[in-house]
Amino acid sequence: MRYISTRGNAPFRPFSEIVLSGLAPDGGLYLPETYPVIGEQELEQWRRLPYRELAFQVIRRFASDPDEADLRAIIDRTYTARTYRSEEIVPLTTVDGDVHILGLSNGPTLAFKDMAMQFLGNLFEHILERTGRTLNLLGATSGDTGSSAEYAMRGKRGIRVFMLSPYGKMSPFQTAQMYSLTDPNIVNLAVRGVFDDCQDLVKKILADGSFARSHGLGTVNSINWARVVAQVVYYFKGYFAATRTSDQEISFSVPTGNFGNVCAGHIARQMGVPIRKLILATNENDVLDEFFRTGVYRVRSSADTYQTSSPSMDISKASNFERFVFDLAGRDPVTIRDLWTRIDSLGRFDLSGTEMFSRIGQFGFVSGASTHSDRLRTVRDLYHRHGLLLDPHTANGLKVGLEHKEKGIPLVCLETALPAKFEAFIVEAIGRRPPRPTGTETIESLPQRFHLIDADEAAVRRILEESPLL
Ligand SMILES: *Cc1c(COP(=O)(O)O)cnc(C)c1O
């Protein structure tokens, strides 16, 4: 399997090379030349596979390197009952008849990002060992990505993590998760500023090619292709868990920020999983809901990006969206270059009334948005009727999912975090604190370790430079 860029001006590359790089050299995103298609018979055979075996079957279709034995070993190390708290890895809970929640948040940081990030940690370590290279991962986080990356990379040979986070802006639980890590290869940079300041610093430093090369810099942001591929697996698993035979259709509802999770759903659908609808849910930051309703994609400024009670969905533009638009455009890189030139100059493009937008129905997407009061109501209602507790992100997904629920079509809502991560919200919703998984009960009282810095590029560079290369 070879990889191409959505902008059409990058050489073909194999899997193990593209997963270590971010954007393609032409500024596009990597995608496989074609999607592997799984026939109905094969799908039926996969139905009974345990998670690890299913993950191997799916990921192998996208990764011709590492070789099969190595890939299997990486996957077997990743998807364990020890890391994800049950042998099922992603347990399905039935809420009401044929409405289900797929539990993707039982990994070490209690958010679905662990599903892919744990795999990435083991994959990177393997690739670096084979090539003798080392990697300094530089990233910015508003909460979940940073902790997920740190827990995936801690103690890994040849890898160090420098993670910028907005000082005082994350939930106390998220802050404690990151800052309490004491592994020498994890460096937390608490920035006096907001998430966008952190993101800008990372972008500026990575844009300095010679500095990035000489310091072996890389990223694990949401455009990383291996993350998307690892997420495809649980769409298969969720499909099997909610159906009996492989001629049945189901719909998924997906709380969305950077379009990473739902991009994996799009790919699972292209591969042949009988997904009727991909229900995309946003919060008040409704860039993507607006696009799927109207055809207008309009990125927001940071001043127009709201801070909400589902902070991991507070995005102003969706970094993986270009992958879907490439498919929508019939995989024409000229169209993509043109559209993203418009984004760069005008901050928007408008596909309404075009032949291209009229094809959108073929891809199964529908969308909706949810507000703070919707989240509260959804969480309260589910708790009082069923004794189940959801985090505010998953609540966005359930709210919008139910609006699009069709009779006779099972609905699987992807759970993207556990309520324990968002205690203040849960207290507001139901008047009591959420239960905490074993081992996290007193996390806020652990000693914390971080560098407190101004939103200043020189300060970040200094810390990178002062940390000796591994
Ligand atoms: C990252 C995240 C999202 C958004 O996922 P994308 O892949 O960026 O669309 C939603 N909910 C939670 C809890 C997250 O951490």
Side-chain angles (χ1 to χ4, degrees), residues 111-113 144-145 222 227 231 254-262 312-313 315 320 391 393-394 416-417 422:
F112 88 99
K113 293 196 169 66
D144 291 334
T145 311
S222 71
R227 283 180 64 181
Q231 290 171 177
V254 191
T256 305
N258 270 316
F259 205 82
N261 196 352
V262 77
S312 299
M313 297 164 66
I315 57 105
N320 273 292
D391 96 291
H393 304 80
T394 311
T416 56
F422 302 96

Side-chain angles (χ1 to χ4, degrees), residues 32-255:
E33 236 179 326
T34 56
Y35 295 124
V37 173
I38 310 303
E40 197 178 314
Q41 217 177 350
E42 197 165 13
L43 199 64
E44 200 46 47
Q45 286 162 6
W46 287 10
R47 175 174 288 278
R48 280 170 297 277
L49 298 180
Y51 199 89
R52 280 185 288 281
E53 184 59 31
L54 180 64
F56 173 73
Q57 292 299 341
V58 172
I59 296 171
R60 181 170 75 87
R61 307 293 155 120
F62 293 97
S64 17
D65 55 323
D67 68 32
E68 292 208 351
D70 286 342
L71 183 63
R72 201 180 273 278
I74 291 166
I75 289 171
D76 286 350
R77 265 205 304 287
T78 303
Y79 297 106
T80 64
R82 190 157 168 246
T83 301
Y84 295 96
R85 293 168 195 262
S86 79
E87 198 48 64
E88 287 170 283
I89 311 295
V90 292
L92 189 82
T93 304
T94 300
V95 177
D96 226 351
D98 58 357
V99 178
H100 315 272
I101 307 282
L102 188 65
L104 305 179
S105 311
N106 299 307
T109 72
L110 318 185
F112 88 99
K113 293 196 169 66
D114 293 333
M115 291 306 302
M117 206 69 91
Q118 289 285 319
F119 170 68
L120 207 62
N122 289 321
L123 178 68
F124 275 18
E125 187 179 49
H126 170 83
I127 295 173
L128 294 170
E129 245 166 34
R130 294 285 294 261
T131 55
R133 287 173 56 189
T134 61
L135 190 61
N136 284 318
L137 296 172
L138 180 65
T141 186
S142 58
D144 291 334
T145 311
S147 56
S148 186
E150 291 186 354
Y151 281 75
M153 305 299 164
R154 63 191 293 201
K156 291 278 185 291
R157 284 178 299 262
I159 305 176
R160 220 157 24 160
V161 178
F162 296 86
M163 189 59 66
L164 281 64
S165 52
Y167 180 64
K169 303 282 193 311
M170 301 182 293
S171 82
F173 188 96
Q174 287 177 313
T175 307
Q177 267 190 328
M178 291 181 59
Y179 296 175
S180 68
L181 287 180
T182 54
D183 307 70
N185 72 328
I186 304 297
V187 181
N188 281 303
L189 304 176
V191 178
R192 290 191 191 90
V194 295
F195 169 66
D196 280 306
D197 298 320
C198 301
Q199 180 107 305
D200 286 346
L201 290 170
V202 169
K203 278 191 187 149
K204 276 190 203 146
I205 293 172
L206 289 173
D208 180 349
S210 70
F211 184 84
R213 265 188 305 280
S214 63
H215 290 79
L217 295 186
T219 58
V220 281
N221 50 22
S222 71
I223 61 163
N224 184 283
W225 175 249
R227 283 180 64 181
V228 177
V229 169
Q231 290 171 177
V232 172
V233 179
Y234 55 69
Y235 284 88
F236 279 87
K237 195 71 193 171
Y239 174 73
F240 294 138
T243 58
R244 285 217 179 77
T245 55
S246 300
D247 52 4
Q248 268 178 284
E249 284 188 313
I250 71 168
S251 295
F252 282 96
S253 96
V254 191

Side-chain angles (χ1 to χ4, degrees), residues 8 16 38 41 52 88 104 109 116 189 228 248 269 292-293 327 329-330 342 350 364 371 395 402 418 467:
S16 63
I38 310 303
Q41 217 177 350
R52 280 185 288 281
E88 287 170 283
L104 305 179
T109 72
L189 304 176
V228 177
Q248 268 178 284
R269 194 171 181 275
F292 283 99
R293 280 186 297 103
D327 287 341
R342 282 191 247 171
D350 181 356
T371 64
L402 289 175
L418 290 192
S467 312

